[in-house]
Amino acid sequence: MTSRPPSPGPARLSPVLPVVAVVALLALPVAPGDGGGAGPADALSALAVLCCAVRLLRARRRPLGPAAWVILGLPVAALVPAALHAVPADAGITGLGRYLQVFVLVPAGVALLIRGRADFRLLAWSLVALAGWQGAVGVHQYVTRTGASYQGENIRAVGTFGVTDVMGMATVVSFGLVCAVGLALGRSVARDRVIAIACALALSVPLALSFSRGAWIATAVTLTVQLLLAGARRAVRVVAVVVAGAVLVGGLGVGTTPFRERIDSITRVADAPDQSVTDRYTMWAAAVDMWRDRPLTGVGLKAFPEYRDAHASLALSSGSDTEGAGAAFRRQPLLSPHNMYLLVLGEQGLSGLLCLAGGWLALLVCALRGLCRTRAAGGRGLDCALVACGLLVWQLVDFVYADIGGPSTVLTAVCFGLVAWWALLAGDGPGTDEHSETPARHAPAPGTSTGKAVPR
């Protein structure tokens, strides 16, 4: 009498579902006039971190090695001193919580909740879905003239984030585009590859309508890097098609006048900069001047607005005009230099910049090493490698033109978590199991002794 094989148990829910819920909450509209403080997605991200902690305590696991703890915890060494000497003190505590959320706690929680490549892909596709929704809202805003004000017309696509986070939709769409390209270049299943390519092409439209020069530059650099990492021959073919399409579009005169003027302004930032570029350069100089006064520790977390006027030249305007997308006209104060590296340098000094940027560079090195191992072992999991490397490259380039702030910032933390998983916890590359936290156990082959007596 032969025994029946045990029936498989019910499939467990993925532990990354709370993180998927965080991404989904960013599809909700932001109330007009919202100051950009903590929102529902931020609260749920804290709950996701708590779920991760409870899960680790119940399992009594220590999944992070010493190197991972150092890389993920490195920013704390500079954040705590910068928060203690911040003026006012309550602003320092608020800034400490925000930095810990974005660069330490949520990335670590996301990385520890991912069980394998299947969970990684689930999160990547959720980013693509969010980008599709925000992009669709943005395109509708452009077509119906209900977006944010740009050159006197309400045509700027901002999605559901409104004018309080005018860069939010561009950031979300860029993340989705990078994920779609990585999934398309790394997957061998034809259906998934076609869907990813279609999503990438569709997302390029709202990205263009966001009129965000920083997002354009970061996305162009990232896609180039992803193509080179996927293979030189494929990169040459794709670049040739893109260049031919760009020449055709330019020759036919396709494209709106504001879009063409925005592209042309990228090459004129030094010759004839507009007021927004002048304000940005002025605030960059102010941040550098703050660092010169306090080179080691900076002026303190969230203290840039307090010291801005004392270090900025008269070329700085009082603020930027915002209007449209359901919000009335208001003067938005300039509270940051719109450069993450200079913001950290001015507020946290050289120690803070070394700790934060050093951790990011360490993640990049580890992610690239994992990609090289994956390619050498046959390419299984290459899509995860391209997505992780792409997200990190995009963020590092975009930080030259932007910093953290607004409801979409929590998505930056989620992306750092995806990068941290690939760089620190999936070091075995293709050996990582698709669905579980431990390598899959295979049944012994027929006739193979297991070392145990078999009852007759």
Side-chain angles (χ1 to χ4, degrees):
M1 182 176 180
T2 60
S3 60
R4 294 181 179 179
S7 59
R12 294 189 303 170
L13 293 177
S14 172
V16 300
L17 290 180
V19 186
V20 175
V22 172
V23 176
L25 279 180
L26 290 174
L28 299 178
V30 176
D34 192 353
D42 296 286
L44 189 56
S45 70
L47 182 60
V49 173
L50 180 61
C51 291
C52 174
V54 171
R55 187 165 174 267
L56 292 179
L57 289 175
R58 290 182 59 185
R60 296 181 180 180
R61 295 194 307 116
R62 294 181 180 179
L64 294 180
W69 281 112
V70 170
I71 293 175
L72 291 176
L74 192 59
V76 181
L79 288 173
V80 174
L84 292 178
H85 74 268
V87 178
D90 57 343
I93 299 301
T94 303
L96 176 63
R98 188 62 157 170
Y99 273 89
L100 290 178
Q101 173 204 13
V102 177
F103 298 119
V104 180
L105 297 178
V106 174
V110 172
L112 292 173
L113 288 174
I114 296 176
R115 298 174 301 179
R117 287 189 293 267
D119 288 341
F120 185 99
R121 293 180 185 121
L122 175 61
L123 280 178
W125 280 111
S126 69
L127 293 179
V128 176
L130 175 64
W133 163 250
Q134 291 289 351
V137 174
V139 172
H140 179 266
Q141 290 170 337
Y142 177 83
V143 173
T144 59
R145 299 298 193 264
T146 56
S149 178
Y150 179 76
Q151 294 184 351
E153 298 182 85
N154 295 337
I155 59 174
R156 187 169 190 176
V158 293
T160 64
F161 296 102
V163 295
T164 57
D165 189 11
V166 73
M167 299 296 300
M169 191 213 72
T171 300
V172 170
V173 170
S174 297
F175 285 152
L177 181 57
V178 170
C179 289
V181 171
L183 292 168
L185 293 175
R187 292 306 297 269
S188 58
V189 181
R191 183 189 62 180
D192 294 345
R193 187 166 59 250
V194 170
I195 295 175
I197 292 174
C199 290
L201 293 175
L203 290 175
S204 63
V205 177
L207 179 61
L209 299 179
S210 69
F211 299 109
S212 172
R213 291 171 293 198
W216 292 348
I217 295 172
T219 303
V221 172
T222 301
L223 297 187
T224 302
V225 171
Q226 285 182 307
L227 287 171
L228 293 175
L229 293 177
R233 293 182 178 178
R234 184 179 299 179
V236 171
R237 291 196 299 267
V238 174
V239 170
V241 173
V242 171
V243 171
V247 171
L248 178 61
V249 169
L252 296 176
V254 179
T256 63
T257 300
F259 178 70
R260 292 198 300 268
E261 291 179 352
R262 193 68 165 173
I263 292 179
D264 293 339
S265 68
I266 296 177
T267 61
R268 298 197 311 265
V269 292
D271 298 333
D274 54 29
Q275 186 58 48
S276 64
V277 176
T278 301
D279 288 339
R280 182 165 300 186
Y281 286 168
T282 304
M283 290 188 294
W284 286 7
V288 173
D289 202 38
M290 294 177 195
W291 166 69
R292 287 172 180 167
D293 284 350
R294 300 182 184 181
L296 187 59
T297 59
V299 297
L301 287 180
K302 304 287 285 185
F304 181 87
E306 297 291 331
Y307 291 85
R308 181 199 61 189
D309 294 339
H311 294 271
S313 68
L314 296 178
L316 182 65
S317 64
S318 59
S320 59
D321 298 337
T322 59
E323 188 180 11
F329 174 83
R330 63 172 295 187
R331 193 75 170 164
Q332 191 77 18
L334 303 175
L335 303 179
S336 69
H338 297 289
N339 182 305
M340 191 65 200
Y341 304 106
L342 293 180
L343 177 63
V344 172
L345 187 66
E347 291 187 344
Q348 303 177 42
L350 188 60
S351 60
L353 183 61
L354 290 177
C355 289
L356 270 174
W360 300 336
L361 290 178
L363 283 177
L364 182 60
V365 171
C366 293
L368 291 174
R369 288 178 58 189
L371 184 143
C372 293
R373 285 194 297 266
T374 298
R375 290 177 61 89
R380 187 182 180 190
L382 181 61
D383 55 336
C384 299
L386 293 174
V387 169
C389 294
L391 290 174
L392 185 54
V393 169
W394 189 94
Q395 196 63 76
L396 294 181
V397 175
D398 185 70
F399 273 163
V400 177
Y401 308 96
D403 47 48
I404 60 174
S408 61
T409 299
V410 68
L411 200 63
T412 299
V414 172
C415 291
F416 271 113
L418 286 167
V419 175
W421 178 82
W422 174 259
L424 304 176
L425 299 181
D428 53 349
T432 305
D433 186 48
E434 291 283 341
H435 300 285
S436 64
E437 298 162 311
T438 57
R441 296 180 180 179
H442 301 281
T448 303
S449 173
T450 61
K452 295 182 180 180
V454 179
R456 297 181 179 272

